[in-house]
Every structure is written in structure tokens, then in C-alpha cells.
Amino acid sequence: MAGEPQDDGPDAKSDLMRHYLEKRANLVRFFAARLNSSAAAEDLAQELYLKIAALPAEDEIQNPSALLYRMGSNLMLDRLRQERRAGAREGAWVAAATTRLGDEEIHDEPPADEVLAARQRLNLLLSELNTLPPRMRRAFQLHKLEGLSHVETARAMGISVSAVEKHVSGALKTLLSRLG
């Protein structure tokens, strides 16, 4: 009938998908041999399937097997390039975050568990600090936490240097006895 599309049999996309399903095991072995990983090969075969499913219906494909292997090889090369770039980024980050001393890497930042433990100790210290008498707490904060000298602390508080020394010493003794 005029105006109706002609059905010339299966389209190129379904033919390619049929070839993919027939050759899938061979493709996985092909990828695994080159990637040295059966898991990566399976991932790549799945990615190839999705690529084929997204293709528009086209004219007849002369050699579907060759196209499958070419598409798979291109996907594999893309993946290898991506992994190489990720490795270079990781290497640059490690180089920026560490210092080498002989064969040993010295990280510029402490491990996460040490950071957490230090934060917990600091929170405990601050809560215990709030239990000190006000003048003792203020002298300790100015001298130990804000870094003022005894003389500067004495000026800021309007007391003598010996009084600052007495308050700071008393705060240290009290905090050490409570915190161990």
C-alpha cells in the first residue's frame, strides 16, 4: 500500500544486537585478555551493550563482528585513558600531600583517627576549662590558647605577672589532675 513503510526485515541495529548476543562470551574473553581482569571485561561488555542499544537504526552493517570489536576496543581505550588520568591525578595529590625522606613517605597531615582523638581531647579540655574559676580560666586562655606572654596577659587582665603565673600554674595543675 502506498505511504506505508516497507518492512525490509530486521534493521541494522537489531542485527548488531543479535551479533553482540552471539559473540558476547568471545568479547568478554577478548577484553579480559587485554585488561587482565574478568570483572573489568564484564563491565566493558555491559558498556558495549548499552552503546549498541543507544545507537540509531542505520543502514545495513557490512561486518557486524568487526564493528563490535572496534566499538569494544574504543571503549577499552577510553577506559584505559581515564584510568591513566585518574592515576596521574592521584599521584599528583600524593606528591603534594607528602614529603619523602629516603624511602619513607611522610604525610603532611595526621591520620584521620589521630585527628578525631585530638578533637575529642580538645573538647574535653574545653569543657573542663569552663569549670575553672573565671580569673584562672581567663589567664589560662590568654596565655596558653591565645599565645600572649605573661606580661601581656597581666596587662590585659590588669593584674601582676606573678598573679598570672599563679593562675596559669593553678589551671594547669587542675586540668592535668582532671584529664590525666
Side-chain angles (χ1 to χ4, degrees):
M1 202 182 231
E4 289 185 12
Q6 291 183 334
D7 186 16
D8 294 332
D11 64 359
K13 182 177 173 179
S14 62
D15 191 40
L16 187 60
M17 187 60 77
R18 182 180 54 75
H19 270 77
Y20 167 81
L21 295 173
E22 289 172 3
K23 304 279 185 186
R24 186 181 188 288
N26 292 341
L27 286 163
V28 170
R29 282 191 294 276
F30 175 78
F31 299 145
R34 280 148 186 80
L35 296 171
N36 293 323
S37 167
S38 58
E42 286 290 339
D43 289 346
L44 201 59
Q46 180 65 27
E47 197 173 334
L48 179 59
Y49 174 85
L50 294 173
K51 197 84 160 171
I52 293 167
L55 285 175
E58 298 205 1
D59 295 331
E60 181 181 348
I61 297 171
Q62 296 298 320
N63 190 343
S65 292
L67 181 60
L68 287 174
Y69 280 93
R70 171 55 60 202
M71 288 174 68
S73 293
N74 288 343
L75 288 172
M76 186 171 35
L77 287 173
D78 288 346
R79 178 176 287 213
L80 291 172
R81 285 184 191 121
Q82 183 180 13
E83 288 173 359
R84 195 174 302 130
R85 284 190 304 267
R89 279 192 309 272
E90 176 71 17
W93 182 86
V94 167
T98 59
T99 304
R100 282 191 131 341
L101 186 61
D103 290 340
E104 292 292 320
E105 284 185 358
I106 301 170
H107 295 274
D108 295 340
E109 295 180 11
D113 59 335
E114 289 179 19
V115 171
L116 180 62
R119 282 187 186 147
Q120 290 171 340
R121 286 191 309 271
L122 178 61
N123 288 336
L124 186 58
L125 171 70
L126 293 175
S127 68
E128 287 297 324
L129 189 60
N130 288 330
T131 65
L132 295 175
R135 291 176 69 87
M136 184 182 284
R137 178 176 61 240
R138 181 77 176 131
F140 181 84
Q141 286 174 323
L142 289 173
H143 180 64
K144 292 296 185 182
L145 301 181
E146 294 181 23
L148 299 181
S149 68
H150 284 155
V151 173
E152 293 167 328
T153 303
R155 266 192 229 122
M157 292 182 65
I159 59 176
S160 69
V161 173
S162 64
V164 169
E165 291 170 349
K166 181 182 104 184
H167 286 312
V168 171
S169 175
L172 284 172
K173 285 179 188 172
T174 304
L175 292 172
L176 284 174
S177 69
R178 291 182 186 168
L179 301 175

